[in-house]
Amino acid sequence: MGQVCGLYQVDQSTIAVKEKFGKFSSVMGPGCHCVPWCCGVNIAGVLSLRVQQLDVRCETKTKDNVFVTVVASVQYRAHLETAEDAFYKLTNPREQIKSYVFDVVRASVPRMILDDVFEQKNEIAKTVAEELEKAMRTYGYEIVQTLIVDIEPDETVKRAMNEINAAARLRVATRERAEAEKTLQVKRAEGEAEAKYLSGVGIARQRQAIVDGLRESVLAFSDNVPGTSPKEVMDMVLVTQYFDTMKEIGASSRASTVFIPHGPGAVRDVAEQIRNGLLQGDAGRTTTH
């Protein structure tokens, strides 16, 4: 944009306001124009038709008494048809836009709590755009877009909100950890119960096998040695097992001395005790079943 020998150049996306003897004459678009200075014609100024952006930071208070800084981004432009109003009616359009943004934000946000400010920021932006459009149309400007680009609470409030969020997540993690521990304990108890059941089944089968083996031994001995009664054979088998057990105890026990009964009736007493023990155990098992 420049002036040489009465010629004036207007750049693209820009207009020049021409006056004659101090009165508005016309608007000159991009290109080279003749400006006869000697005839009282002059260029009062230029006006950009590009979309311009203005970021406005507005501090206000919410309904729950939290101070926040709302950052609004306003995009605006002047039209060729309304260039005269845009040039003459406003001295500083940016400051005028700031004033309207402050007014709308400080009228809207105090009616909301902090959470609603974050959730309804689009509604705030829409309200700002509507108010700006009504006000700035009179001055020849169009509001292209209005956005709420940031909401910044006070630093202590942000720290408190983060702590609340962290505590809530910690509660969830603790609850999940407790559920996992509960499941682990239940599974462990079920495993122990199953192991004890299988152990009991094994012991029962072992005892059954011992009984079957003793019965076969008694029958075989009675068949091979005529004249012996099953009771005598059973006494001999029990006493033999008794002494085998005592031998193992003496070999594996840490004790250095083991007392056993002796005397003429000791063997018979031992056999009687073993038989009674087996009979009592068999009776108890029968009663349980």
Side-chain angles (χ1 to χ4, degrees), residues 66 114-115 118 153 156-166:
V66 178
L114 181 60
D115 292 339
F118 283 95
T156 56
V157 176
K158 289 167 59 175
R159 185 163 53 250
M161 292 173 65
N162 291 333
E163 290 176 358
I164 292 173
N165 189 23

Side-chain angles (χ1 to χ4, degrees), residues 33-271:
H33 302 270
C34 178
V35 181
W37 305 101
C38 59
C39 297
V41 178
N42 71 304
I43 302 300
V46 295
L47 184 67
S48 175
L49 299 181
R50 296 177 181 178
V51 175
Q52 303 180 61
Q53 178 167 312
L54 174 64
D55 293 331
V56 183
R57 299 178 62 88
C58 178
E59 185 179 12
T60 184
K61 187 179 72 169
T62 63
K63 187 176 181 179
D64 47 352
N65 296 323
V66 178
F67 282 91
V68 295
T69 299
V70 179
V71 181
S73 179
V74 181
Q75 298 174 354
Y76 65 97
R77 66 181 176 183
H79 283 291
L80 180 62
E81 295 79 5
T82 58
E84 181 182 357
D85 293 336
F87 186 80
Y88 286 102
K89 287 189 175 182
L90 279 181
T91 303
N92 192 336
R94 297 176 69 87
E95 290 300 322
Q96 187 76 6
I97 291 175
K98 282 185 179 180
S99 299
Y100 279 105
V101 172
F102 285 155
D103 182 66
V104 174
V105 170
R106 288 174 176 169
S108 301
V109 174
R111 295 199 296 264
M112 307 177 184
I113 62 175
L114 181 60
D115 292 339
D116 291 343
V117 173
F118 283 95
E119 294 176 2
Q120 302 180 23
K121 68 184 188 69
N122 291 335
E123 296 297 326
I124 299 175
K126 182 179 178 182
T127 303
V128 172
E130 291 175 352
E131 293 297 324
L132 282 176
E133 181 65 27
K134 289 189 296 184
M136 299 304 294
R137 189 186 303 118
T138 307
Y139 302 107
Y141 284 93
E142 175 194 4
I143 303 301
V144 179
Q145 183 68 273
T146 302
L147 301 172
I148 302 298
V149 296
D150 197 8
I151 299 173
E152 301 175 0
D154 185 78
E155 187 62 31
T156 56
V157 176
K158 289 167 59 175
R159 185 163 53 250
M161 292 173 65
N162 291 333
E163 290 176 358
I164 292 173
N165 189 23
R169 293 180 181 275
L170 183 61
R171 284 197 301 271
V172 173
T174 303
R175 184 165 58 250
E176 294 297 330
R177 193 181 302 114
E179 289 293 332
E181 183 65 24
K182 175 184 176 182
T183 302
L184 184 61
Q185 292 181 358
V186 170
K187 293 299 181 182
R188 188 183 296 118
E190 292 177 352
E192 291 178 357
E194 184 68 18
K196 290 180 180 179
Y197 170 76
L198 295 177
S199 176
V201 172
I203 293 174
R205 291 178 178 176
Q206 180 186 19
R207 291 177 178 176
Q208 183 63 40
I210 293 173
V211 172
D212 294 341
L214 290 176
R215 183 174 62 251
E216 293 177 359
S217 299
V218 170
L219 294 177
F221 194 89
S222 299
D223 294 339
N224 294 329
V225 182
T228 58
S229 64
K231 181 178 179 302
E232 294 173 344
V233 177
M234 189 64 182
D235 290 342
M236 183 182 67
V237 172
L238 292 177
V239 171
T240 301
Q241 288 186 343
Y242 172 75
F243 283 112
D244 289 341
T245 302
M246 295 302 297
K247 179 181 178 180
E248 293 179 1
I249 293 174
S252 61
S253 176
R254 295 181 181 179
S256 59
T257 304
V258 178
F259 293 95
I260 60 175
H262 69 284
V267 174
R268 180 172 299 176
D269 291 341
V270 169

